[in-house]
Each structure stands twice: as structure tokens, then as C-alpha cells.
Amino acid sequence: MDPPATYYGQLDKRNPVISAFKRDIKSFLTQMKQAASSINPDNSSQAKGIKILVEIWKQYKHRLPDELYQEHMLQIADFLYGIKWYQMALWYGYGPCLLQFSSVKVTEVTDVDHFIACFFPEGFDSEQDTCAMKMRAMLGCALCVFEEERKCSILSEEGLCELLRVLNFIRIMMQAFQQHEHFSWLIYKGSLHIYNICRYLMAMKHSEQALEYLVWASISLELSIPLMTAKYLPLIVTLYCAVCHCYYDDQAEEQAEEFAKRALGKINELAMLEEQDEAATTRATQRAYKEAAIKARTLLLKYTVIHWGP
């Protein structure tokens, strides 16, 4: 067996194992960029890329420190996701990386206790880099599943069930980190991903299934103190609007009106709280709250007119 990178001393660019690994990765990325930019990309290019990548992972797995190996695995997965080779990113990037920590797929997670037992048995305050790596791999897996389903022209019943499992996983992950303010970025990302998936479900005439997750995402943002600021208002208002649209699609005009009222009240409440903090109040934040309130009022007027009719 070839000696590990540590055999040659420091893990820097002069280390022959590190330099060879990065050279092979660079060569793989160059080939994949060329294949992805081809006018008529074919399956053979992807198959060739898979073969090369599998060989790289196999060759260097036992020669590199785990953290370095997994970080590059995630970087490759991010690259493949970026060129829209979602299945390859899932099977040869995010999936194998997550497999280093647990054999359970994200769509198999049933509740918060199951989530913690599978991925964080030592708690959330263990190694922060490893913790972030796990979450990056989990979200990557979830988004690849979503993108693969979205590529189909028709959303089948099986595809709908798979997307609901993805949404359920994101909700469980957000629940697990809800009480940890330093992970508020994850609540933001989770809410954003829920919105994007639910927007697709709405477009495919599945507003009824999307509604509970959009409501959940809205409330999750409201419960996260670091996120209830002008900076995150665009997503907050977007979620409020999506919830109202779902109610309307489900012919629940009264609930749409009530939620629009609630949204306006929440925005006004936040604006008043920020005004009390003179150091945080700027023209930009005042403008952000004013624009958010206008959107909420427009939404309320729309559903009030629909509800009560001419």
C-alpha cells in the first residue's frame, strides 16, 4: 500500500501526495467543464468522468487525512451540482461524504431523535468543522434529490412522495437546531430551500401539500431572533406571500386574509422594535420595512377583496 501523506511530513503543497491529489482533481474538473460546456453532451462523457472520480477517491482515501479528503469530496460535489449533474453530485460527492458519518439517507430520517442519533450522537458542540461538513453534505443530498425530480416534465405520485420526504427532512433538521442561535444560518438556509421546493410544488398544482411546510418555514424565521431583522425581510415577506397564495389555491380565502393580517402585524411589530434601537436604524432599514409593509398591505387588500367580493 502506498504511504499516507503524513509519511512525507507537513500537509502542504510540497507534500507529494497532496500535490498529486490536487493535480488529479484539477485534471478531473477541467475534463468535466469541457464535457458540460459541449454543445451536444453525451452520457459517455459523464460515464468517463464517473470512472475517473471513483478512481481518485479510491486511490487517495487512505492516504489523506479524513477532513481534507471529505472537504475535497464536498468541493467536487458542489462543482457537479453547479454544472447541473445532480445525480453524479449525489452518488459520487454528497452521498459518499455523508456515508462517512452515517449509512442513513436523508429521506429515511423520521424525527429529531432519529436525526441526532444518526448524525450527531456526540451533540452539536463537538468539532465545528465536522458539524458544518455534515450539514453541507445533508443539504446537498436533499437538493440533488429535488433537482432530479424537477428535471422530469411531470411530477409523478412517487416523485411527490420523495419531495415530501425531502421537505420533512429539512424541517426535522431545522427543528434540531432551533434552540441553537449560532446555527441561525441553517434556519435561514432551510427556510429558503423549503420555499424553493414548495414553489415548484405550487407550480405543479400541489399547493395543499406545500402549505404546511411554508407555514413552518415562516414561523421558524420568526422564532429565530438573529433572523428577524431588516436583512432577512425579503425572505420573510416572500414566505408570507407564498403561504397566502397556497391558502388561495386551496380555496381558503378567509385563511389567506387572516394570514395576510398576521404578516402585516408582524412586520409592523419588527419595524417598531428596530426603531427603538437607534444604533441599528438607518435609512436602508426604514426603507426595507416600508417596502415590506406595502407588500403585506397589498396582499391583505387582494385577499380581502377576493374574500368579500364586489
Side-chain angles (χ1 to χ4, degrees):
M1 182 181 289
D2 294 325
T6 51
Y7 175 82
Y8 297 98
Q10 293 186 345
L11 301 176
D12 54 25
K13 62 182 180 181
R14 290 175 293 184
N15 187 299
V17 178
I18 300 294
S19 60
F21 174 62
K22 292 193 172 182
R23 184 171 60 249
D24 289 347
I25 290 291
K26 185 177 180 180
S27 175
F28 167 78
L29 293 177
T30 300
Q31 291 185 52
M32 292 302 97
K33 284 178 184 176
Q34 292 173 349
S37 61
S38 173
I39 298 175
N40 297 308
D42 54 32
N43 292 333
S44 63
S45 298
Q46 194 164 342
K48 183 180 178 181
I50 290 171
K51 186 177 180 180
I52 294 171
L53 187 57
V54 168
E55 186 58 35
I56 290 174
W57 294 150
K58 180 180 176 182
Q59 183 180 351
Y60 291 100
K61 179 174 175 58
H62 301 292
R63 302 189 71 192
L64 297 171
D66 288 342
E67 190 173 323
L68 179 65
Y69 178 80
Q70 289 159 6
E71 175 58 32
H72 278 81
M73 190 174 278
L74 285 175
Q75 287 178 11
I76 291 292
D78 289 344
F79 165 77
L80 293 170
Y81 184 91
I83 62 173
K84 300 183 179 181
W85 287 10
Y86 305 117
Q87 196 171 73
M88 192 173 173
L90 176 62
W91 289 359
Y92 302 98
Y94 297 122
C97 184
L98 197 57
L99 196 60
Q100 306 293 315
F101 306 107
S102 174
S103 61
V104 176
K105 296 179 181 179
V106 295
T107 50
E108 296 172 342
V109 175
T110 55
D111 54 39
V112 173
D113 290 338
H114 188 206
F115 172 82
I116 294 173
C118 291
F119 301 110
F120 298 95
E122 298 176 1
F124 301 135
D125 296 323
S126 55
E127 181 58 46
Q128 291 300 300
D129 288 342
T130 302
C131 188
M133 198 174 289
K134 290 178 185 178
M135 290 185 282
R136 189 171 156 197
M138 286 186 286
L139 283 175
C141 288
L143 293 179
C144 283
V145 172
F146 164 53
E147 293 294 352
E148 277 296 297
E149 291 297 340
R150 185 158 66 167
K151 281 164 58 177
C152 304
S153 57
I154 297 174
L155 181 60
S156 65
E157 190 65 32
E158 183 180 347
L160 174 61
C161 290
E162 187 74 347
L163 291 186
L164 292 178
R165 283 191 285 268
V166 169
L167 285 168
N168 193 51
F169 167 75
I170 296 174
R171 178 167 62 181
I172 288 170
M173 182 171 66
M174 290 168 68
Q175 282 178 310
F177 289 97
Q178 200 109 52
Q179 304 302 319
H180 302 267
E181 283 196 2
H182 57 293
F183 285 115
S184 60
W185 62 270
L186 185 63
I187 304 300
Y188 173 80
K189 277 195 169 185
S191 298
L192 181 61
H193 295 327
I194 284 177
Y195 168 71
N196 287 329
I197 297 171
C198 287
R199 183 176 60 177
Y200 169 71
L201 289 180
M202 292 165 69
M204 301 304 286
K205 311 299 183 185
H206 291 291
S207 294
E208 183 178 355
Q209 289 85 352
L211 178 59
E212 68 170 288
Y213 295 100
L214 288 169
V215 171
W216 162 261
S218 301
I219 294 173
S220 294
L221 287 178
E222 291 175 0
L223 293 175
S224 178
I225 295 174
L227 298 180
M228 292 305 284
T229 64
K231 179 180 178 180
Y232 302 101
L233 265 180
L235 177 58
I236 295 168
V237 174
T238 297
L239 283 167
Y240 287 157
C241 291
V243 170
C244 291
H245 289 321
C246 274
Y247 276 128
Y248 177 67
D249 287 346
D250 294 340
Q251 297 183 330
E253 293 88 352
E254 188 173 345
Q255 287 93 328
E257 181 187 349
E258 286 300 316
F259 198 87
K261 286 180 181 177
R262 179 186 180 281
L264 180 57
K266 198 68 181 179
I267 292 167
N268 289 336
E269 177 186 327
L270 286 172
M272 286 189 289
L273 286 173
E274 194 128 5
E275 282 177 7
Q276 293 173 10
D277 185 359
E278 294 182 3
T281 303
T282 65
R283 287 185 178 180
T285 58
Q286 288 174 342
R287 184 169 61 251
Y289 281 110
K290 183 178 179 180
E291 290 174 357
I294 290 171
K295 287 182 181 179
R297 287 194 193 97
T298 303
L299 199 64
L300 177 57
L301 178 61
K302 174 182 176 180
Y303 292 113
T304 301
V305 171
I306 289 172
H307 180 207
W308 296 106

